[in-house]
Amino acid sequence: MNKLLSVFFTLLFFSSTVFGQGLKSPTEFLRTDYGKHFTPHYLVADYVRHVAENSDRVTFIEYGETNEDRPLLLATITTPQNHSNLDEIQNYHLFKIGMKDEVTVQLEENFAVVWLSFGVHGNEAGGSESSMNVLYKLANPANGITGDWLRNTIVLFDPSLNPDGYNRYTQWARSIGGKTPHPGLTDREHMEPWPGGRVNHYYFDLNRDWAWQTQVESQQRIAQYQKWMPHVHVDFHEMGYDQGYYFAPAAEPYHQHITDFQRDMQVDIGKNHAKYFDREGWLYFTREVFDLLYPSYGDTYPTFNGAVGMTYEQAGHGMSGREISLSNGDTLKIQDRIDHHTQTALSTIEEASRQVNRISKNFERYFANAVAEPKGTYKSYVIKKSEKANRLATLLTKNNIRFYRTEGGGTLSGYNYNTSKSGSFELEEGDMVINANQPNGTLLQVLMEPEPLLSDSVTYDITAWSLPHAYGVQAYALDSYTSTQSVNLDENRESPFVCFGNQESVQLPYAYIIPWNSVTSAQILSKLYNDGIKARMADKDISFEEGVVEKGSIVIVRGDNYFVEDLPGSMEKIGGECSDCFCLSSGFSSEGGDIGGGSFSRLSHPKVLLLSGRGTSPYNVGQVWHYFDEVVGYPLSIVDKLDMGRVDLDDFNTLILPDGWYSLSESELSDVSEFVSEGGKVIAISGALGNFVDKDDFALSKYASEDEKKAAKKEREEKKLAARDDSYQDQERRGISNSIPGAVVRNTIDASHPLAFGLGDSYHSMKTSRQYYSLLKDSWNVITVPEDYESFGFIGVNLKSKIANSVSFAVEEKGGGNLIYMVDNPLYRGFWENGSLLFSNALFLVN
């Protein structure tokens, strides 16, 4: 028997050696001077294909495409023996954590599953560059050490999470780079142009999108991630060029639901890295920055899915170019960036392989505990039936969180997200029930918690994100599990859309009613506008025989659309998208005003221009662009600020000024003022408001009066005097007293104004800026922060009182038009769903 085994392994080694004879290193395969210049994305993809064709350790799939049609790749790296049993390994792995109901084969051996993600930020090019070197070292059959690790390890390998951003950066860098690198900063290869390669096609930061999945790259990647649920995940980054290498363990604050094992394993992996970095004399640091709180990072999202999730940061970034001089006299080169990332990647796999049994045991315990003893204060959640709840359900499904619709019945008691108080409520048919005792219960708890516990106020990102606040739903958190009968609404409900059909034998409706209660309403209106259909809006609640037409509802009247060739056909197309649409047989109301009267305003088709370019925030420009392109599907023109002189504003009726750090000249500001006075609409977001504050022709002001302005100046001078004895080492702590990394603030609203239609009784705004403004005079202060406001997340003590009695969203009427001031960004990262509805109100409803 021993002789047979010996022959078998000899043949296997011979087979692997022959298979790997055609395998080339990146230096041999690429014609781009690997390690000295950047590699275009198509060649990175070609190299992955080459390795898969020439190594029996590697297979790969194209799991999707980017917005610019570049492939998203995922390689699987392990031994040939494991590849032959990969389905069984994968299925049993999922079975053990409750993600698969049954398996045909149960395995005795444990396997570590390690996922390596490179290049989520495209201009941190050292990530994707190093990925090829890592792949070669793992794939090469001559490398016996990596072969030993792979016997009990499955490596999932994504060489470029952001191909569009990486391509934008590397193509630019190659197009402007000379034959000789310029290591000094005063060269254009260190001056990356707007919008930069960090972001994807729509200028989104994909490293903030893991949980929200607003972008196609995230959606397709998470679908693959859930098929494996790795034990260990590493997100490879780059940071400022004049720093040491950062690896785990992470800095505080750690989220309270992170387990002791996840903390300890970060330390073990970090110590393994340190061993190799010490040997080479490479500089590194741990635990100083990059915390584990915000749940939508490439380290935290895997962590809340049970993994040991880590960020590694190499000095580099877009400013580094091919080479850059360091303050210690050394020069940072692309090869250095490759070497360092390669080492930590291999060291991670080594430690995972070494601790495979411990990792597997604790990973299984993580999910078992989520079912048996869920973390967090609450055991279940109820989301009241609404179109907003339907949209939230879509996100929960994307995150593999289980829920059901209840048939209703009974009175329950729980924490009300809209009042922050406990109270009773009726459980009704169609309400959504989410119990926490499920495999992904920990992720559920993190996404639903009203406010996370902060172990340290110095944090890297936003500090509150509760989904009920983001989606504007009526939600309750309960101390006990909720057990009721589920119901399939689609099976039990008669279709309400029959009146939207093209009926030949029945009198056609007088008007079609589309309630304005979620972003879905804006999507429907956009489709109607694209078909050339004219619309009206109900200015208030009005009763008809068929029901109440609520304020904000879109009203499509046959009498306004005689020119439309097939109005019933157009309405039929959108009927299935609207669960609460209905029709009116007559324009005669029971109470409140007839359709032909003044209570139903005619809406104008927006013709929209968005400012972009240097000085504007790429993130916010991208959020607006994505909203138009992917959320509501409505036409948008985008023009660089430097080209505004070539634009005839008469071609537009809506101008969007995004967040940013730009100034409008006196001439440009005059043009904007004239545009509004003549009937145009301007939507100014966050930083753009600086162009209007305290200007004679505009209502926006920092202070309500001269006395308030003088008092604020006096307060600043007194604080300067008091700070003369402050200690040097406490400066960071003092700095955060005036900061707001990202907190949720409950605002009061004027529900009668179109800007607030559909939002609910209050509005929870994501506030990320220290800017605040007094309530405007002679304007509509629609959404405001009250004196005794409630907030969630960290707001510096000095800033907190200043935000009180300030305006968040206001409308200034000038001549025949409107100027809409948005102090907070309602499209923040594309996931603040109720903010998207607010932006839709500004775009479509504010005439």
Side-chain angles (χ1 to χ4, degrees):
M1 184 67 179
N2 291 336
K3 188 174 182 180
L4 286 174
L5 284 174
S6 176
V7 171
F8 172 77
F9 284 114
T10 300
L11 290 172
L12 187 63
F13 173 79
F14 177 76
S15 173
S16 297
T17 303
V18 171
F19 197 92
Q21 283 182 349
L23 180 65
K24 296 180 180 180
S25 69
T27 302
E28 295 168 329
F29 179 83
L30 299 170
R31 55 184 183 276
T32 53
D33 216 2
Y34 182 66
K36 296 181 180 178
H37 216 319
F38 297 110
T39 309
H41 179 265
Y42 77 92
L43 287 179
V44 175
D46 283 351
Y47 186 69
V48 174
R49 295 186 185 98
H50 162 75
V51 172
E53 291 170 357
N54 290 278
S55 172
D56 55 3
R57 295 182 180 181
V58 181
T59 61
F60 86 99
I61 60 170
E62 291 188 14
Y63 65 86
E65 290 184 342
T66 68
N67 289 288
E68 297 174 15
D69 300 322
R70 293 186 178 86
L72 294 165
L73 307 178
L74 183 67
T76 303
I77 312 167
T78 190
T79 62
Q81 303 97 299
N82 292 340
H83 271 296
S84 66
N85 299 310
L86 200 61
D87 287 344
E88 287 84 357
I89 295 171
Q90 181 180 14
N91 290 335
Y92 190 54
H93 171 69
L94 295 175
F95 172 75
K96 290 191 292 183
I97 60 172
M99 297 291 186
K100 199 170 185 65
D101 293 334
E102 58 183 21
V103 291
T104 57
V105 177
Q106 295 192 13
L107 305 175
E108 294 183 3
E109 184 180 359
N110 288 320
F111 293 88
V113 181
V114 178
W115 189 300
L116 306 179
S117 292
F118 297 89
V120 70
H121 293 149
N123 64 353
E124 299 173 10
S128 290
E129 294 293 337
S130 63
S131 74
M132 293 180 281
N133 195 43
V134 173
L135 180 60
Y136 176 69
K137 289 184 177 297
L138 292 173
N140 189 352
N143 193 331
I145 295 177
T146 59
D148 289 341
W149 303 337
L150 293 176
R151 285 181 183 146
N152 66 0
T153 305
I154 313 296
V155 177
L156 287 309
F157 175 96
D158 191 329
S160 178
L161 276 66
N162 180 12
D164 292 347
Y166 177 73
N167 183 76
R168 185 185 306 122
Y169 175 73
T170 56
Q171 290 296 97
W172 166 78
R174 293 185 66 83
S175 71
I176 57 89
K179 291 184 177 180
T180 303
H182 193 299
L185 282 174
T186 53
D187 185 84
R188 61 181 179 174
E189 78 170 279
H190 305 294
M191 303 174 183
E192 188 182 2
W194 191 98
R198 176 184 180 90
V199 289
N200 77 338
H201 173 78
Y202 284 114
Y203 309 160
F204 270 64
D205 185 336
L206 294 178
N207 193 39
R208 271 76 175 170
D209 193 50
W210 282 73
W212 321 132
Q213 298 176 53
T214 68
Q215 301 300 293
V216 294
E217 295 92 343
S218 305
Q219 294 161 13
Q220 295 170 103
R221 179 183 353 105
I222 298 302
Q224 294 300 318
Y225 188 97
Q226 290 168 350
K227 292 178 181 179
W228 268 107
M229 298 296 288
H231 297 108
V232 177
H233 180 269
V234 181
D235 195 18
F236 291 88
H237 285 261
E238 291 189 319
M239 55 185 169
Y241 65 88
D242 206 6
Q243 301 183 64
Y245 194 101
Y246 163 80
F247 49 72
E252 292 288 348
Y254 278 58
H255 192 281
Q256 61 180 327
H257 293 339
I258 295 175
T259 67
D260 290 341
F261 166 75
Q262 288 172 317
R263 289 170 174 262
D264 293 344
M265 195 65 200
Q266 287 214 357
V267 174
D268 289 352
I269 292 173
K271 287 181 177 179
N272 201 48
H273 297 336
K275 175 180 65 178
Y276 292 105
F277 274 60
D278 290 343
R279 183 182 303 167
E280 298 292 337
W282 294 339
L283 297 174
Y284 62 91
F285 66 96
T286 65
R287 292 170 285 207
E288 293 183 23
V289 290
F290 310 118
D291 58 72
L292 294 175
L293 183 71
Y294 172 66
S296 199
Y297 277 133
D299 51 13
T300 50
Y301 184 81
T303 297
F304 298 130
N305 278 273
V308 179
M310 296 170 290
T311 289
Y312 297 166
E313 297 266 0
Q314 160 63 40
H317 210 276
M319 187 178 288
S320 295
R322 293 168 291 174
E323 296 183 8
I324 193 163
S325 299
L326 304 179
S327 58
N328 65 359
D330 200 358
T331 300
L332 178 67
K333 302 177 181 180
I334 295 175
Q335 188 61 55
D336 299 321
R337 295 149 73 177
I338 292 172
D339 292 343
H340 300 162
H341 268 334
T342 299
Q343 183 58 71
T344 54
L346 297 178
S347 171
T348 301
I349 297 167
E350 178 186 37
E351 191 65 18
S353 174
R354 179 185 298 130
Q355 299 204 41
V356 58
N357 292 325
R358 179 174 176 237
I359 289 173
S360 297
K361 176 183 177 181
N362 281 277
F363 191 70
E364 292 164 30
R365 180 182 296 163
Y366 182 95
F367 290 95
N369 288 344
V371 174
E373 302 174 12
K375 295 179 180 291
T377 304
Y378 303 111
K379 296 294 187 290
S380 65
Y381 303 88
V382 173
I383 315 295
K384 299 298 291 180
K385 178 184 175 183
S386 68
E387 185 56 40
K388 290 178 183 177
N390 294 340
R391 297 181 68 85
L392 174 56
T394 300
L395 180 65
L396 296 177
T397 300
K398 288 179 180 177
N399 283 290
N400 206 15
I401 292 172
R402 302 167 183 174
F403 59 89
Y404 68 93
R405 303 283 188 168
T406 176
E407 68 175 10
T411 301
L412 301 177
S413 180
Y415 169 86
N416 186 330
Y417 279 86
N418 285 340
T419 65
S420 299
K421 298 176 181 178
S422 293
S424 61
F425 65 96
E426 295 299 318
L427 191 65
E428 300 169 300
E429 182 184 47
D431 290 347
M432 188 194 312
V433 174
I434 321 167
N435 283 308
N437 57 336
Q438 58 173 293
N440 261 352
T442 302
L443 177 62
L444 166 68
Q445 299 282 41
V446 172
L447 297 182
M448 294 292 286
E449 61 187 344
E451 185 171 26
L453 177 67
L454 279 177
S455 61
D456 193 326
S457 299
V458 179
T459 181
Y460 195 65
D461 211 289
I462 65 174
T463 56
W465 49 77
S466 178
L467 289 181
H469 293 158
Y471 276 72
V473 293
Q474 183 66 44
Y476 298 89
L478 286 71
D479 296 330
S480 59
Y481 299 121
T482 302
S483 178
T484 65
Q485 286 292 111
S486 63
V487 62
N488 188 325
L489 295 181
D490 293 332
E491 289 182 359
N492 296 345
R493 181 182 61 207
E494 292 185 9
S495 173
F497 313 128
V498 63
C499 71
F500 273 58
N502 192 355
Q503 308 158 65
E504 297 179 358
S505 59
V506 182
Q507 180 182 345
L508 291 174
Y510 181 86
Y512 303 86
I513 308 302
I514 304 162
W516 191 266
N517 50 26
S518 75
V519 175
T520 302
S521 307
Q523 292 171 333
I524 292 172
L525 181 58
S526 174
K527 290 181 180 179
L528 295 174
Y529 277 164
N530 289 336
D531 284 345
I533 293 172
K534 294 183 178 179
R536 293 173 182 256
M537 174 187 67
D539 296 335
K540 59 182 180 179
D541 293 351
I542 299 176
S543 297
F544 288 83
E545 181 180 345
E546 292 84 353
V548 176
V549 177
E550 297 179 340
K551 62 177 179 285
S553 293
I554 302 303
V555 182
I556 308 300
V557 186
R558 265 195 305 126
D560 287 336
N561 292 282
Y562 282 123
F563 60 91
V564 178
E565 184 175 339
D566 184 14
L567 179 63
S570 294
M571 302 310 297
E572 184 179 17
K573 286 191 297 185
I574 61 96
E577 302 172 25
C578 182
S579 61
D580 47 7
C581 292
F582 63 99
C583 300
L584 300 180
S585 59
S586 172
F588 191 84
S589 70
S590 304
E591 183 181 1
D594 301 328
I595 285 183
S599 296
F600 290 88
S601 303
R602 288 191 180 92
L603 297 177
S604 302
H605 290 212
K607 299 176 182 177
V608 190
L609 178 68
L610 169 65
L611 210 62
S612 70
R614 189 172 182 178
T616 64
S617 163
Y619 298 132
N620 191 220
V621 170
Q623 289 154 11
V624 175
W625 181 19
H626 180 263
Y627 167 86
F628 277 87
D629 252 19
E630 298 291 339
V631 178
V632 295
Y634 195 79
L636 172 70
S637 294
I638 305 175
V639 174
D640 193 290
K641 182 181 178 296
L642 296 177
D643 293 325
M644 278 297 290
R646 302 166 58 184
V647 175
D648 185 353
L649 288 178
D650 290 340
D651 294 337
F652 303 92
N653 59 23
T654 303
L655 173 64
I656 300 175
L657 302 178
D659 186 19
W661 314 271
Y662 57 96
S663 297
L664 298 176
S665 66
E666 288 188 17
S667 174
E668 290 170 332
L669 203 58
S670 177
D671 289 343
V672 169
S673 181
E674 182 180 351
F675 173 76
V676 175
S677 297
E678 292 180 355
K681 177 166 55 183
V682 170
I683 301 173
I685 306 173
S686 299
L689 272 62
N691 289 289
F692 304 99
V693 64
D694 296 327
K695 299 290 175 64
D696 291 338
D697 202 26
F698 302 96
L700 187 67
S701 180
K702 183 76 171 178
Y703 304 105
S705 65
E706 280 299 317
D707 288 343
E708 186 178 299
K709 185 176 182 180
K710 290 177 182 178
K713 182 178 180 181
K714 181 180 178 182
E715 180 184 356
R716 289 194 298 271
E717 291 301 321
E718 289 175 347
K719 286 184 176 179
K720 288 180 182 179
L721 290 173
R724 288 177 296 175
D725 293 329
D726 287 347
S727 66
Y728 176 80
Q729 70 177 23
D730 293 334
Q731 59 181 316
E732 183 180 39
R733 294 289 166 184
R734 290 194 301 272
I736 66 172
S737 66
N738 291 298
S739 72
I740 180 167
V744 177
V745 173
R746 177 177 288 135
N747 287 249
T748 58
I749 68 174
D750 175 3
S752 68
H753 195 283
L755 188 62
F757 284 172
L759 296 182
D761 297 329
S762 60
Y763 177 74
H764 290 86
S765 190
M766 174 60 74
K767 188 171 285 292
T768 59
S769 168
R770 296 188 302 168
Q771 295 302 314
Y772 57 91
Y773 301 95
S774 66
L775 273 61
L776 278 62
K777 300 172 184 176
D778 300 320
S779 301
W780 303 110
N781 294 289
V782 183
I783 301 176
T784 58
V785 181
E787 173 69 31
D788 55 347
Y789 73 93
E790 186 173 16
S791 63
F792 308 86
F794 178 77
I795 302 177
V797 62
N798 292 340
L799 183 62
K800 189 155 189 171
S801 61
K802 297 175 182 177
I803 295 174
N805 291 320
S806 65
V807 65
S808 296
F809 299 89
V811 179
E812 178 183 359
E813 296 178 350
K814 285 174 59 67
N818 296 289
L819 207 167
I820 302 173
Y821 299 106
M822 296 184 164
V823 179
D824 302 331
N825 174 15
L827 299 177
Y828 185 76
R829 292 183 183 168
F831 87 97
W832 209 253
E833 182 79 9
N834 220 25
S836 293
L837 178 59
L838 171 57
F839 190 84
S840 300
N841 293 349
L843 176 65
F844 292 118
L845 303 190
V846 178
N847 269 334

